[in-house]
Amino acid sequence: MARFAPTRLFALFAAGIAACALSLTGMGPAAALAPPTESSTSGTVNYVNLGDSYSAGFGSGALVPGPFPGCLQGSGQTHVTKIASMDNVNLTADVACAGMTTAQIGAVAQQITPYLATADLTTLTLGGNDLNLAGLVLACSTLGSDAACDAALAAGNAALPMVGASAHQTLQLVDAATPGEILVLGYPRLFTASNGDQPLMSASHARDLNKLGDSLNRVIRDATDGTSATFVPVLGPFNDHGLGATDSWIYFNMANLGDPFNLHPTTSGYLNGYYPAVRNHINMNQLMR
């Protein structure tokens, strides 16, 4: 493998993180979205997907533009495409975009209220960008330092209450806009530390980041309280499939640290990790009533 100076690696990794940043000011629903329709007596399930890059399919397929200016999605198979391919399911709006914070997801939800009003099922992920997980990984990687990692972890833990409050506010907006079921998907552990130190991350730092990720999942789960949303954990399906595992379901391109798909599920992660978890929470008979 080619070797780079640490400063060069740091710059490449940071560029990949920055590539996912969004500015959603003044965004409006794209004309490409089909007009929303009421659920029919034939049993059609109207489905809306929104959220951040883990809902936008980053890590699977190729990078493609989404329905809004500045919105990016992955073109490959994911839990969203699998749900959309189920009998009697109609994906009316797929408005997930990489880089979205909880507040930006809430802003999009307010702009697609006609679609949410007719939705029988809504799925989303949120919270990771508020915590800047990619920046945390950068600080704790072999490109960073122990001091930088400690500072980043402390800042991340300190930010969790604010992340939870913002996530709760967004979920309240979604809940108020839709009469249908809302499934909030959690995040997988990014690392499998049991195989020891890896080129990107020491086992110790990997465990620390996984602990923070677990805390983030708990905060997001708690953010569903007081709403009709249900939290769907994915830690079980992703167990022993993080970076460092023999069969990793987390995308990371060491040859291109600026790859915007880095630190996202692979196609296998979406289909074998996310899809079974969310499918277990979908009762088609109930949704079609």
Side-chain angles (χ1 to χ4, degrees):
M1 182 179 67
R3 300 182 66 86
F4 298 88
T7 53
R8 172 61 173 159
L9 291 173
F10 194 95
L12 285 170
F13 201 0
I17 294 168
C20 296
L22 285 178
S23 176
L24 304 180
T25 305
M27 275 180 29
L33 290 176
T37 56
E38 295 287 347
S39 295
S40 67
T41 55
S42 64
T44 298
V45 173
N46 286 336
Y47 172 36
V48 169
N49 177 60
L50 70 158
D52 59 23
S53 54
Y54 278 63
S55 292
F58 259 42
S60 181
L63 193 67
V64 295
F68 299 128
C71 177
L72 297 174
Q73 299 178 339
S75 66
Q77 288 187 301
T78 67
H79 60 288
V80 177
T81 63
K82 287 284 287 184
I83 296 169
S85 68
M86 293 169 60
D87 290 342
N88 302 315
V89 173
N90 177 30
L91 181 60
T92 59
D94 183 3
V95 292
C97 303
M100 278 189 176
T101 64
T102 53
Q104 290 170 330
I105 294 166
V108 170
Q110 290 179 303
Q111 294 183 46
I112 62 161
T113 50
Y115 298 89
L116 289 170
T118 60
D120 303 291
L121 173 66
T122 299
T123 60
L124 73 156
T125 51
L126 78 172
N129 290 310
D130 297 63
L131 199 59
N132 188 16
L133 286 178
L136 280 157
V137 171
L138 177 60
C140 293
S141 73
T142 51
L143 310 180
S145 65
D146 288 343
C149 183
D150 290 344
L153 290 168
N157 279 294
L160 285 173
M162 184 168 57
V163 176
S166 183
H168 180 67
Q169 184 176 21
T170 290
L171 292 176
Q172 285 182 313
L173 289 172
V174 176
D175 192 26
T178 182
E181 184 171 4
I182 305 166
L183 298 180
V184 182
L185 283 61
Y187 295 100
R189 290 192 180 106
L190 291 177
F191 302 97
T192 295
S194 57
N195 288 340
D197 295 345
Q198 301 296 321
L200 177 68
M201 184 77 55
S202 71
S204 176
H205 283 178
R207 285 190 290 269
D208 289 339
L209 285 169
N210 284 343
K211 288 179 183 177
L212 180 59
D214 290 350
S215 296
L216 173 62
N217 278 322
R218 286 191 292 270
V219 163
I220 297 168
R221 179 198 63 199
D222 292 346
T224 65
D225 291 347
T227 75
S228 65
T230 299
F231 180 74
V232 179
V234 297
L235 294 184
F238 274 90
N239 189 38
D240 291 329
H241 291 291
L243 289 173
T246 302
D247 181 20
S248 175
W249 292 350
I250 303 297
Y251 182 98
F252 199 86
N253 183 359
M254 284 295 293
N256 178 13
L257 297 184
D259 191 331
F261 280 1
N262 284 342
L263 305 177
H264 293 88
T266 61
T267 303
S268 293
Y270 285 116
L271 298 184
N272 299 324
Y274 268 100
Y275 177 65
V278 70
R279 182 65 183 88
N280 286 339
H281 285 77
I282 296 175
N283 185 327
M284 290 297 292
N285 291 330
Q286 182 175 353
L287 291 176
M288 289 190 293
R289 283 190 307 194

